[in-house]
Amino acid sequence: MRLVLLFIGFLFLSGCKEEKKSNEGAKKSIPERAALSRDSQIFLGNRLFSEKTCITCHDINKKKIGPSIKEIMKVYKSKNGDIFAFLKGNAQPIVDTTASQVAIMQANINGFLKGISDEELKTISTYMLHVDELNPDQ
Ligand code: HEC
C-alpha cells in the first residue's frame, strides 16, 4: 500500500514538473514586435510627449516653465548630449543647471516617466531630435 502511495506521489510530482516546463515554453513564445520606422517613432514620441505632460512645460519654440524643445536640442546637438540617458536618469542636465529648475525636471523623471519602457523613451528622444525638421522656424 505504501509503495502504491509513493508511486502515485511520484506521478503527481513529475506531472507538476511537466506542467511547469510547458509554461516556461509559453512565456518564451511571446511574439516579438517589429521595429518601429523612424516616422513611427516620431509619431509615437510626439504622442507620448503630450500624454506624459511634457508639453505643458516644453513648447516647441518658446520658453514656458522649461526651455523650448528647440532650445534643448540646440544644446544637446552642440554638446553631443544623450537625451535618452538623461531621461533614464543616467546623465546630468546640460541645458539649465540651476538647482531649482533641475529639481522641477527631476520630479518628472521620477513621476511621469516611471515605468516607461526603453522603447517608448527612445521614441520621445527621437521626436525631440527631429522636432526642428518638422517645425522649421517661421
Ligand atoms: C513641470 C514642468 C516640466 C515638465 C512637465 C517636464 N519638464 Fe522637462 N524640464 C523642465 C525644466 C524646468 C527644465 C530645465 C532644467 C534642466 O535643464 O534640467 C527641463 C529640462 C528638460 C530637458 C533638458 C535637460 C538638460 O539636459 O538640462 C529635457 C530633455 C526635458 N526637460 C525633457 C522632458 C520630457 C521628455 C518631459 C515629459 C516626460 C518633460 N521634460 C516634462 C520642466 C518640465
Side-chain angles (χ1 to χ4, degrees):
M1 184 60 196
R2 214 183 266 169
L3 209 67
V4 171
L5 277 180
L6 209 70
F7 183 65
I8 291 173
F10 175 74
L11 278 184
F12 182 71
L13 276 178
S14 54
C16 283
K17 232 186 186 170
E18 237 4 85
E19 205 174 297
K20 218 171 154 198
K21 249 189 222 155
S22 62
N23 271 348
E24 273 167 13
K27 247 191 233 156
K28 273 190 201 128
S29 68
I30 290 172
E32 255 181 74
R33 274 192 289 167
L36 294 176
S37 69
R38 195 195 77 144
D39 284 353
S40 300
Q41 285 201 32
I42 293 172
F43 176 84
L44 185 58
N46 191 354
R47 192 173 149 169
L48 287 169
F49 204 81
S50 297
E51 279 176 9
K52 303 288 177 191
T53 76
C54 319
I55 205 164
T56 56
C57 295
H58 298 291
D59 195 275
I60 293 174
N61 295 293
K62 294 181 303 276
K63 183 176 166 60
K64 258 177 157 179
I65 296 166
S68 72
I69 304 179
K70 283 188 183 170
E71 176 61 30
I72 292 175
M73 289 325 301
K74 212 162 69 192
V75 177
Y76 268 80
K77 282 178 182 168
S78 71
K79 293 191 178 170
N80 209 8
D82 184 342
I83 294 263
F84 178 84
F86 170 74
L87 295 176
K88 193 102 177 116
N90 293 338
Q92 294 300 314
I94 55 173
V95 179
D96 186 343
T97 51
T98 321
S100 58
Q101 295 295 95
V102 168
I104 293 175
M105 185 52 212
Q106 188 60 45
N108 292 293
I109 294 178
N110 300 339
F112 292 114
L113 291 180
K114 202 171 178 176
I116 195 171
S117 71
D118 283 359
E119 200 183 11
E120 285 177 315
L121 211 52
K122 183 142 177 292
T123 69
I124 295 182
S125 64
T126 304
Y127 162 68
M128 293 181 77
L129 194 62
H130 294 285
V131 90
D132 54 346
E133 272 171 45
L134 304 161
N135 304 273
D137 294 329
Q138 293 91 4

